[in-house]
Amino acid sequence: MNNEGEIAADYLEELLDIADLDGDIDTFNESGRAHVSVITDAEVLVGKDGEVLDALQELARLAVMTETGHRSRLMLDIAGYRDKQRRQLQDLAGDAIADVQSTGEPVRLSPMNPYQRKIVHDAVAAAGLSSESEGEEPRRRVVVLPKA
């Protein structure tokens, strides 16, 4: 697992050099998953709604798979974008949880990607409630449910 982070870090380091962008790279493991963070002010690496970040994450995963022969679940963060997004989603989940607890009615959130939905599902479970995903990609959303 640590090897995955190192392979991805080397790949991203080369990419930053080619693009002539500054950034420090940090790697760590959490819950059996390699994490790579690029500490930079270059928002261009995040892109609109994290699209460039998502593409770079897939490229880094491919680089790891090419090297190891195994599919990678590596997580990439650039300029703290995912950390900030996680906090916002946890706040959104907290608001939905409060609404469900006060009204007893389910709350349907806006469509999200799988990564975003997982953060919300985890926050809802930590609060002792349940949630489910409904709809089809890319319009799939989380529904926070009242206690049965």
Side-chain angles (χ1 to χ4, degrees):
M1 208 64 62
N2 198 18
N3 193 27
E4 285 188 13
E6 290 170 20
I7 294 166
D10 290 345
Y11 174 79
L12 292 164
E13 186 110 18
E14 277 186 51
L15 202 69
L16 289 173
D17 285 346
I18 291 168
D20 197 26
L21 294 168
D22 290 327
D24 293 323
I25 298 177
D26 184 30
T27 64
F28 62 96
N29 287 306
E30 183 179 283
S31 303
R33 179 182 273 193
H35 289 256
V36 178
S37 292
V38 180
I39 297 104
T40 181
D41 293 327
E43 292 290 321
V44 68
L45 293 173
V46 174
K48 183 180 181 288
D49 297 327
E51 289 172 348
V52 175
L53 169 58
D54 289 340
L56 288 172
Q57 177 174 280
E58 283 308 306
L59 288 172
R61 286 177 174 178
L62 284 171
V64 170
M65 190 168 83
T66 300
E67 186 90 14
T68 66
H70 298 102
R71 190 175 182 288
S72 173
R73 294 177 50 233
L74 172 117
M75 289 298 299
L76 175 64
D77 193 6
I78 298 174
Y81 178 82
R82 290 212 198 276
D83 276 342
K84 185 173 138 195
Q85 185 182 47
R86 181 182 296 114
R87 284 192 301 276
Q88 290 171 339
L89 288 166
Q90 287 169 335
D91 289 347
L92 177 71
D95 292 345
I97 290 163
D99 287 350
V100 167
Q101 288 172 331
S102 69
T103 67
E105 296 293 320
V107 171
R108 284 173 175 71
L109 300 174
S110 299
M112 299 175 192
N113 68 38
Y115 169 77
Q116 295 166 328
R117 289 194 309 268
K118 175 154 182 15
I119 292 169
V120 173
H121 285 305
D122 289 350
V124 171
L129 293 178
S130 60
S131 57
E132 61 189 26
S133 292
E134 70 176 21
E136 299 297 319
E137 295 291 355
R139 307 281 312 148
R140 200 153 167 80
R141 68 183 68 231
V142 173
V143 181
V144 181
L145 303 167
K147 284 195 176 200

